[in-house]
């Protein structure tokens, strides 16, 4: 037993190879996985509930496309980084001084990974099935097409990138630059790595279902008395004392007919014992069966866990912060997560089928499960020729389109704006420098007027 604990990280994966146009990561049990890096389409604090609903439809489409025998795993890595902006050597003095002021400032970066995993046959030996292998690559291609059609920025990770991602996850080091690994010390509370600790917070305890009765892809947050839409877990970007947060979301799609037969038999057993708790359980199961008969939802096994890395003496305030924020969402995290090492290993990319079904997986409808998926990204620079920089909520410079119509994303088709400043402050220079189209139009107008007066 001691020998197995020492070698618990050995054999997590069987192989990593590039085949048939995809970089496939095989788990120890033979489940193949393909990893996409993507950008969540909803900007934080956009206040638009429709964008959350649209991304919910995209995720639902992916789950329906994958079907039985597949798992959808999504990992959002929120890591502290040091700001750096590459400035050309021939740049003006003010530009170099501006970005030098922000050099090294700490900020939170969100990187999102979408992992498609195919379930392997449960046998002593991994059996090769050419039909399942072709179906796996076909499903990966379909998911890629769905993301492309919906305009969600994404790409497949290359073989070196997948290798680095798995090693960074083991070291739990996602800060840019070189990283190293050290020894692990596991306990019932957390994993200790050097002077840091990693703790996993599962959102669902199957013994006590402390979840809201009604769930939506977004929640309402009040700002100055006005309700705005925001992500259920938008607070993950501001967890105190943490240097890295990973939100691991797993949805397994099992055989539907087998589950339906089990639920029908369970409803009959509850109906044969007429007491209040059994009546409630029977009513819930019947409601689920009616929903499955009417809608296109699927029954899925899910696991949601938040992995936080922080200093060893800051575990208590981090736990209090997460419990308070989750309580505001109507969620009480599991208090019986004593298998910290097991939860950490099961959260590795491509290990979607390694969870223990007796106490780590929660059966629910696919629509409800996808509501818990993280859907936001932080504000970034806009693609525009008007390189006007302002600072965002983290205090970092981002380029925005001051006109609303010159950038790649058109906010409006007719923008009127003005520039205010004292005499000699450079108003004309700014407008001509930043708005070449307007300068061109003004010169054309001057030439036309000159011809008229001539």
């Amino acid at each position: 037993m001691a020998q197995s604990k020492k070698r618990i990280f050995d054999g997590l994966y069987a192989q990593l190879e590039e085949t048939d146009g995809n970089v496939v990561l095989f788990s120890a049990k033979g489940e193949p996985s393909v990893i996409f890096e993507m950008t969540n389409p909803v900007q934080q604090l956009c206040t638009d509930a429709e964008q959350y609903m649209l991304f919910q439809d995209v995720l639902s489409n992916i789950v329906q496309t994958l079907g039985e025998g597949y798992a959808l795993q999504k990992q959002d890595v929120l890591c502290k980084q040091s700001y750096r902006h590459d400035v050309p050597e021939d740049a003006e003095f003010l530009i170099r001084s501006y970005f030098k002021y922000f050099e090294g400032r700490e900020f939170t970066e969100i990187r999102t990974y979408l992992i498609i995993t195919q379930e392997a046959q449960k046998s002593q030996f991994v059996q090769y099935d050419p039909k399942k292998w072709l179906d796996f690559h076909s499903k990966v291609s379909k998911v890629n097409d769905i993301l492309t059609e919906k305009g969600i920025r994404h790409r497949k990770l290359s073989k070196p990138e997948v290798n680095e991602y798995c090693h960074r996850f083991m070291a739990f080091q996602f800060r840019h630059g070189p990283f190293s690994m050290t020894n692990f010390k596991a306990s019932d509370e957390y994993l200790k790595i050097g002077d840091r600790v990693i703790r996993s917070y599962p959102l669902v305890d199957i013994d006590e279902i402390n979840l809201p009765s009604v769930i939506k892809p977004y929640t309402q947050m009040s700002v100055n008395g006005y309700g705005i839409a925001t992500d259920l877990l938008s607070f993950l970007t501001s967890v105190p004392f943490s240097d890295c947060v990973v939100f691991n979301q797993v949805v397994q799609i099992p055989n539907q007919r087998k589950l339906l037969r089990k639920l029908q038999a369970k409803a009959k057993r509850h109906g044969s014992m007429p007491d209040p708790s059994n009546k409630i359980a029977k009513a819930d199961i019947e409601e689920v069966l009616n929903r499955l008969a009417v809608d296109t939802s699927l029954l899925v096994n899910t696991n949601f866990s938040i992995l936080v890395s922080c200093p060893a003496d800051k575990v208590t305030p981090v736990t209090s912060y997460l419990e308070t924020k989750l309580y505001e969402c109507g969620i009480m995290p599991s208090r019986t997560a004593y298998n910290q090492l097991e939860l950490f290993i099961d959260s590795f990319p491509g290990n979607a089928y390694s969870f223990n079904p007796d106490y780590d997986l929660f059966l629910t409808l696919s629509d409800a499960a996808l509501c818990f998926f993280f859907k936001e990204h932080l504000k970034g620079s806009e693609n525009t020729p008007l390189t006007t920089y302002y600072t965002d909520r983290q205090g970092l410079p981002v380029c925005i389109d001051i006109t609303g119509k010159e950038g790649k994303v058109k906010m409006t088709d007719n923008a009127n704006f003005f520039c205010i400043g004292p005499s000699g402050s450079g108003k004309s220079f700014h407008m001509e420098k930043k708005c070449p189209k307007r300068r061109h139009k003004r010169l054309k107008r001057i030439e036309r007027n000159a011809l008229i007066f001539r």
Side-chain angles (χ1 to χ4, degrees):
M1 188 66 180
Q3 184 72 8
S4 63
K5 285 186 176 181
K6 287 182 181 179
R7 300 177 179 269
I8 195 167
F9 288 105
D10 291 347
L12 275 177
Y13 299 107
Q15 194 173 1
L16 173 64
E17 63 178 14
E18 187 171 358
T19 175
D20 297 336
N22 291 316
V23 177
V24 184
L25 178 66
F26 291 91
S27 68
K29 296 180 181 179
E31 290 112 355
S33 300
V34 170
I35 304 178
F36 293 88
E37 184 178 8
M38 59 173 287
T39 301
N40 292 328
V42 185
Q43 181 178 305
Q44 192 178 42
L45 299 177
C46 69
T47 72
D48 187 3
E50 186 66 23
Q51 294 190 30
Y52 294 92
M53 299 299 295
L54 291 175
F55 190 36
Q56 173 84 0
D57 292 339
V58 173
L59 293 173
S60 180
N61 189 5
I62 292 175
V63 170
Q64 293 286 343
T65 301
L66 292 177
E68 299 177 3
Y70 284 86
L72 179 66
Q73 183 180 9
K74 185 169 178 288
Q75 291 186 335
D76 292 276
V77 181
L78 302 91
C79 184
K80 300 290 185 183
Q81 304 285 357
S82 296
Y83 180 78
R84 176 174 175 76
H85 187 91
D86 294 329
V87 182
E89 294 182 358
D90 57 347
E92 298 177 3
F93 171 76
L94 290 178
I95 294 177
R96 287 187 281 107
S97 300
Y98 178 79
F99 289 108
K100 185 179 179 181
Y101 175 78
F102 297 98
E103 187 78 17
R105 181 169 293 190
E106 192 176 70
F107 71 101
T108 300
E109 180 191 54
I110 299 179
R111 301 187 69 177
T112 302
Y113 300 92
L114 197 68
I115 305 162
I116 311 299
T117 305
Q118 186 185 54
E119 186 178 11
Q121 295 181 356
K122 294 182 179 179
S123 60
Q124 188 174 1
F125 300 100
V126 178
Q127 300 178 356
Y128 172 71
D129 188 344
K131 290 185 178 180
K132 289 190 65 176
W133 182 244
L134 291 175
D135 182 70
F136 171 70
H137 288 281
S138 174
K139 293 294 177 65
V140 171
S141 178
K142 289 179 180 178
V143 171
N144 185 52
D145 293 340
I146 291 173
L147 295 176
T148 303
E149 182 182 350
K150 297 301 180 181
I152 297 176
R153 191 168 58 184
H154 69 286
R155 66 181 183 90
K156 295 178 185 176
L157 293 185
S158 63
K159 188 174 181 179
E161 290 174 333
V162 173
N163 184 48
E164 181 183 354
Y165 178 47
C166 293
H167 282 86
R168 282 190 177 275
F169 197 97
M170 177 175 287
F172 221 74
Q173 291 276 3
F174 294 97
R175 188 180 286 268
H176 297 318
F179 66 98
S180 60
M181 298 186 184
T182 184
N183 294 330
F184 282 75
K185 183 179 179 182
S187 67
D188 295 341
E189 302 260 333
Y190 46 71
L191 301 179
K192 188 172 178 58
I193 306 179
D195 58 347
R196 299 182 303 133
V197 298
I198 301 173
R199 182 167 181 178
S200 178
Y201 300 87
L203 299 191
V204 180
D205 186 351
I206 62 172
D207 295 327
E208 298 181 10
I209 307 302
N210 296 314
L211 294 174
S213 57
V214 178
I215 192 71
K216 296 187 295 185
Y218 60 92
T219 185
Q220 292 286 340
M221 183 176 67
S222 179
V223 176
N224 295 331
Y226 295 93
I228 64 172
T230 183
D231 195 276
L232 288 170
L233 302 171
S234 60
F235 56 86
L236 292 179
T237 58
S238 56
V239 178
F241 309 112
S242 66
D243 54 77
C244 184
V245 177
V246 176
F247 182 35
N248 186 50
Q249 307 130 80
V250 175
V251 169
Q252 299 177 2
I253 311 172
N255 188 294
Q256 298 296 299
R257 292 184 179 180
K258 186 177 179 180
L259 274 179
L260 286 176
R261 288 196 296 268
K262 283 186 177 181
L263 286 178
Q264 291 170 354
K266 192 172 183 180
K268 290 181 180 179
R269 288 198 301 271
H270 284 297
S272 64
M273 296 177 286
D275 59 72
S277 60
N278 284 314
K279 287 182 180 179
I280 294 174
K282 182 183 177 183
D284 289 342
I285 294 175
E286 289 177 348
E287 184 179 355
V288 169
L289 294 175
N290 292 334
R291 176 77 179 274
L292 292 171
V294 175
D295 297 340
T296 57
S297 297
L298 296 171
L299 283 170
V300 295
N301 292 316
T302 63
N303 180 276
F304 301 97
S305 59
I306 302 172
L307 289 86
V308 181
S309 171
C310 64
D313 58 340
K314 300 297 182 182
V315 176
T316 301
V318 168
T319 303
S320 300
Y321 176 84
L322 290 176
E323 289 180 350
T324 302
K325 291 297 183 180
L326 289 172
Y327 178 78
E328 295 175 0
C329 303
I331 303 172
M332 292 296 293
S334 175
R335 299 180 183 274
T336 59
Y338 301 121
N339 54 336
Q340 287 291 314
L341 182 59
E342 181 182 350
L343 286 171
F344 178 69
I345 294 174
D346 294 346
S347 300
F348 271 68
N351 271 10
Y353 282 100
S354 60
F355 289 99
N356 193 311
D358 295 331
Y359 50 81
D360 282 335
L361 294 176
F362 173 61
L363 181 65
T364 185
L365 294 171
S366 60
D367 291 343
L370 295 175
C371 289
F372 288 96
F373 273 49
F374 193 74
K375 302 176 177 65
E376 292 182 343
H377 71 268
L378 297 176
K379 174 68 177 177
S381 294
E382 298 176 3
N383 188 2
T384 172
L386 307 178
T387 53
T388 304
Y389 283 89
Y390 290 84
T391 55
D392 62 2
R393 293 175 181 270
Q394 297 189 83
L396 300 178
V398 293
C399 177
I400 68 170
D401 177 19
I402 60 174
T403 67
K405 66 174 185 177
E406 301 291 343
K408 185 177 181 180
V409 178
K410 310 298 181 184
M411 302 293 182
T412 179
D413 57 356
N414 184 15
N416 297 316
F417 61 99
F418 55 91
C419 184
I420 302 176
S423 178
S425 61
K427 298 185 295 298
S428 300
F429 172 79
H430 174 78
M431 300 308 294
E432 292 184 7
K433 188 78 172 177
K434 297 298 182 182
C435 304
K437 292 184 179 180
R438 291 180 175 272
R439 179 178 59 184
H440 180 71
K441 291 179 180 178
R442 193 180 71 172
L443 293 175
K444 287 290 186 182
R445 186 167 61 249
I446 291 174
E447 292 176 1
R448 185 174 64 250
N449 293 338
L451 290 174
I452 292 173
F453 287 111
R454 190 179 299 168

